[in-house]
Amino acid sequence: MAALESPQPATATAMRHAFGNVLSVLILVLIGVLAFSIRLFSVIKYESVIHEFDPYFNYRVTQFLSKNGIYEFWNWFDDRTWYPLGRVIGGTVYPGLTLTAGTIWWVLNSLNIPLSVETVCVFTAPVFSAFASWATYLLTKEVKGSGAGLAAAALLAMVPSYISRSVAGSYDNEAVAIFALIFTFYLYIKTLNTGSLFYATLNALAYFYMVCSWGGYTFIINLIPMHVLLCIVTGRYSPRLYIAYAPLVVLGTLLAALVPVVGFNAVLTSEHFASFLVFIIIHVVALVYYIKGILTPKMFKVAVTLVVSIGMVVCLIVVAILVALVASSPTGGWSGRSLSLLDPTYASKYIPIIASVSEHQPPTWPSYFMDINVLAFLVPAGIIACFSPLSDSSSFVVLYIVMSVYFSGVMVRLMLVLAPAACIMSGIALSQAFDVFTGSIKYQLGGSSNSADDAEDTNNAPKDDAAAGKTDKGEETVKERSSKKGKKKEREPVEKPSIKSKIKKKALVLPLEASIVALLLLIMLGAFYVIHCVWAAAEAYSAPSIVLTSQSRDGLHVFDDFRESYAWLSHNTDVDDKVASWWDYGYQTTAMANRTVIVDNNTWNNTHIATVGTAMSSPEKAAWEIFNSLDVKYVLVVFGGLIGYPSDDINKFLWMVRIGGGVFPHIKEADYLRDGQYRIDSEATPTMLNCLMYKLSYYRFVETDGKGYDRVRRTEIGKKNFKLTHFEEVFTSHHWMVRIYKLKPARNRIRGKAKKLKSKTSSGWSSKSAKKNPWI
């Protein structure tokens, strides 16, 4: 009977596991659908359009790739940007996003699904947000099981911080980079848990995709060495750790050097030095463990002394080389953005162009609640859960959350890196909490059945002994007694852990009422999180910056001035005309108006940007001379004083002054401030009231209904009635948001000579001799 009954529990367990796997797959599919659909509000409420500024450059590059092929893309010299310098696109862009979208477009068209390049670009980010959710499930499952993985995936699918960079139309590098980041971490943990060289190779390939996609790959190549060093210091070294790390450094660095925008920076910049130092350390440790296994303790001490000594010498040589390389660089081998992360005050002191970007400012406390909401309260519980018990994988996610919290506090843009870590920790916390509360309820409600099961377990042992005795009837009594003693000894270590587990279960049991209330509170917390995420996706992060809207009593007002202005440039100017504006609008001008710009959002040449900032900060005549020397024909400014648009050029003007003054010392910020205050009213300084930016923004502003009242600065302008002598207004959009001016031609020098001749004739020359002048 025992032989017939034993397969039934095994079959039931197999059925339960199969049903659980099917249910998990179904939940993951629904999570992917949720991640995709919650990012479509921008298309539903507005239209299928590219957002922001950088995505327009990515869209333009993808168009070029799909039309001309990958070979032409790698060798493309773009003469429409950074005039007269130009830009080599293939060597200065992270190609991961472009190649991904171009490949998707090519595959779809090969399958006779004729989608346009713009449509593919608009929906790339929502598709990869689903992939990122699934990668989060895989990563969290390796740390704390499938339950925590499903919770983390559901949280990431809706987290507002990630939605802000992955809504439909947000065609930026982070759209695919966050998926690559999470997937690389998953493969690292998978290799660490299995010791498989296959997963180690996939990990290096995933890291290569991350390098192709985003400059934030340096976060990976510094976080993983930190974790490896932590494992070595805490005595958790194993061959699996070596397999997880060594191929990543070797193969990953070689692949990273193949990306043109990275190149030799993969081995020459300070961001990568930590990985090489840890690479040497882990080899020394591996050699020590190998020697320990083949030598006697006495010989081992001698060998360890020799190995450590040689290792120290090698480390000192490497450190000396690295120090020499660092000393040869004025920034210590670090990029400006990396230095601004290590020293939050560095950018404001030395590189104002980095500090001028709103994404590079430190976040405020409300932004944490806005971007991760209730996850901020669940993260500490998840960290505590990772320590019970602490494993290699759980220590990695703890290190991940700690580092991402620090970097997010330095730069608001890196809230995007914090979001996956916060979701992983919150998923672990929710899974552990649900396990405890549901286990307590099950224990309280099913107490009688549990006691019956315990009695049945205790009764099964004697029956097994009796059955064993019956089968051994023909044997001697001595053998029977010895076999019974052996069985008792075998049962003892099995029974002791079961008793301990029962005691532990009883210790974790909570009162029934408390468990039910806690579950209801967790469900309410999840409901509030969902409501907040849907609101953020629908209202806060779905409005495209190219088309602005406002709500009033009259209904919804749409401000389409940007596209109106770019269309005017495209239809009313020559193809070879150069347009000057602040660098924020360079990508859009090139992509939408197809006109050559002086600077754009790539910001690779600080001197060129400082020249434009100096022109905007100079008096009209000096600015005309600067723009004329750059062969500029039109100047574009963004002005929000009439409708209350705060992100206009007047609000950005002080950054133009600071960036210009960093290269050209005659531009001083103090000349534009009155008693340290930035003003545009009657108390503004003469330098401010006479600069080009002020004049181009407020020209004819007094003729509007507000009579010169600026709704953004909430004051009346200081200089109202003035005329332009070197610029003429050629276009002002419907709501005065974009204003375009044309440089007047240089005064005819012949007329100047004629005036001199006339003055000389009045002083004594005859009119007859003047008429004979061939230049008149």
Side-chain angles (χ1 to χ4, degrees), residues 50 58-67 101-102 105-106 109 114-124 171:
I50 304 293
N58 298 326
Y59 167 56
R60 178 168 171 257
V61 173
T62 308
Q63 275 187 319
F64 184 90
L65 173 66
S66 61
K67 183 183 294 184
W105 176 84
W106 179 80
N109 280 266
L115 292 181
S116 64
V117 175
E118 183 181 10
T119 303
V120 173
C121 294
V122 166
F123 291 100
T124 295
Y171 185 58

Side-chain angles (χ1 to χ4, degrees), residues 257-303:
L258 297 178
V259 182
V261 71
V262 178
F264 286 104
N265 289 333
V267 293
L268 294 179
T269 54
S270 299
E271 286 92 340
H272 305 81
F273 289 168
S275 61
F276 302 144
L277 287 175
V278 176
F279 185 73
I280 296 173
I281 293 171
I282 197 172
H283 275 83
V284 173
V285 174
L287 184 58
V288 169
Y289 274 90
Y290 175 74
I291 294 173
K292 185 178 180 180
I294 63 175
L295 295 180
T296 61
K298 187 176 181 180
M299 292 295 294
F300 173 70
K301 292 181 180 179
V302 178

Side-chain angles (χ1 to χ4, degrees), residues 328-346:
S328 63
S329 173
T331 59
W334 295 87
S335 64
R337 285 181 171 84
S338 298
L339 284 173
S340 63
L341 290 176
L342 300 175
D343 180 9
T345 63
Y346 178 83

Side-chain angles (χ1 to χ4, degrees), residues 197-492:
L197 193 58
F198 172 73
Y199 286 113
T201 306
L202 291 181
N203 188 24
L205 294 175
Y207 172 69
F208 171 61
Y209 184 60
M210 178 65 185
V211 175
C212 291
S213 302
W214 192 31
Y217 75 91
T218 54
F219 181 73
I220 294 177
I221 206 59
N222 283 278
L223 182 65
I224 291 179
M226 289 175 63
H227 178 251
V228 172
L229 189 62
L230 178 66
C231 290
I232 293 174
V233 171
T234 55
R236 303 183 69 93
Y237 171 80
S238 65
R240 292 178 286 102
L241 184 67
Y242 180 85
I243 294 173
Y245 183 68
L248 174 65
V249 175
V250 177
L251 185 57
T253 302
L254 291 175
L255 291 173
L258 297 178
V259 182
V261 71
V262 178
F264 286 104
N265 289 333
V267 293
L268 294 179
T269 54
S270 299
E271 286 92 340
H272 305 81
F273 289 168
S275 61
F276 302 144
L277 287 175
V278 176
F279 185 73
I280 296 173
I281 293 171
I282 197 172
H283 275 83
V284 173
V285 174
L287 184 58
V288 169
Y289 274 90
Y290 175 74
I291 294 173
K292 185 178 180 180
I294 63 175
L295 295 180
T296 61
K298 187 176 181 180
M299 292 295 294
F300 173 70
K301 292 181 180 179
V302 178
V304 164
T305 305
L306 181 61
V307 170
V308 172
S309 300
I310 296 174
M312 289 295 294
V313 171
V314 173
C315 284
L316 289 175
I317 293 173
V318 173
V319 168
I321 295 173
L322 297 181
V323 168
L325 289 173
V326 167
S328 63
S329 173
T331 59
W334 295 87
S335 64
R337 285 181 171 84
S338 298
L339 284 173
S340 63
L341 290 176
L342 300 175
D343 180 9
T345 63
Y346 178 83
S348 58
K349 290 179 181 177
Y350 303 106
I351 313 179
I353 192 170
I354 293 179
S356 67
V357 183
S358 60
E359 295 177 345
H360 298 163
Q361 303 297 325
T364 57
W365 282 112
S367 65
Y368 279 92
F369 186 76
M370 174 65 188
D371 284 345
I372 60 176
N373 200 248
V374 300
L375 305 186
F377 306 105
L378 294 173
V379 165
I383 295 175
I384 295 172
C386 286
F387 281 91
S388 56
L390 183 66
S391 62
D392 293 342
S393 55
S394 61
S395 64
F396 175 78
V397 293
V398 170
L399 185 63
Y400 177 22
I401 187 69
V402 170
M403 297 305 298
S404 59
V405 165
Y406 167 75
F407 288 124
S408 68
V410 175
M411 189 180 293
V412 68
R413 184 181 186 183
L414 294 182
M415 291 286 290
L416 192 62
V417 178
L418 172 65
C423 292
I424 291 169
M425 286 299 175
S426 301
I428 293 172
L430 288 175
S431 176
Q432 296 284 331
F434 272 104
D435 283 345
V436 172
F437 297 144
T438 54
S440 299
I441 294 174
K442 184 178 179 181
Y443 185 85
Q444 296 285 351
L445 295 180
S448 58
S449 62
N450 288 336
S451 60
D453 293 338
D454 295 340
E456 187 178 347
D457 292 338
T458 55
N459 291 330
N460 283 337
K463 290 179 182 178
D464 293 339
D465 291 338
K470 289 178 182 179
T471 56
D472 294 338
K473 263 185 179 181
E475 298 182 2
E476 297 179 358
T477 56
V478 179
K479 290 183 179 179
E480 188 177 354
R481 289 174 184 173
S482 62
S483 65
K484 287 183 179 179
K485 289 181 180 178
K487 287 181 181 178
K488 287 182 181 178
K489 289 180 181 179
E490 289 175 2
R491 274 203 309 273
E492 283 177 0

Side-chain angles (χ1 to χ4, degrees), residues 8 23 54 110 119 143 158 170 194 223 248 292 334 340 360 501-502 505 549 553 561 592 600 610 612 655 723 744 774:
Q8 292 181 359
L23 187 60
D54 290 3
S110 300
T119 303
V143 179
M158 298 180 290
S170 183
T194 61
L223 182 65
L248 174 65
K292 185 178 180 180
W334 295 87
S340 63
H360 298 163
S501 62
K502 289 175 184 177
K505 280 184 178 180
T549 59
R553 296 178 180 177
D561 292 46
M592 302 187 71
D600 63 21
V612 175
W655 289 110
K723 295 183 179 180
K744 291 182 179 180

Side-chain angles (χ1 to χ4, degrees), residues 556-587:
L556 184 68
H557 295 270
V558 178
F559 303 93
D560 205 1
D561 292 46
F562 283 106
R563 292 195 295 185
E564 177 188 351
S565 305
Y566 296 138
W568 186 91
L569 277 174
S570 178
H571 291 93
N572 296 277
T573 61
D574 294 333
V575 176
D576 295 329
D577 287 343
K578 285 78 180 177
V579 180
S581 65
W582 192 231
W583 62 264
D584 289 8
Y585 318 107
Y587 279 163

Side-chain angles (χ1 to χ4, degrees), residues 127 139 199 240 352 486 528 534 600 602 619 630 672 715 776:
V127 169
L139 172 58
Y199 286 113
R240 292 178 286 102
F528 285 132
V534 173
D600 63 21
N602 187 239
L630 293 172
Y672 300 85
T715 185
I776 298 178

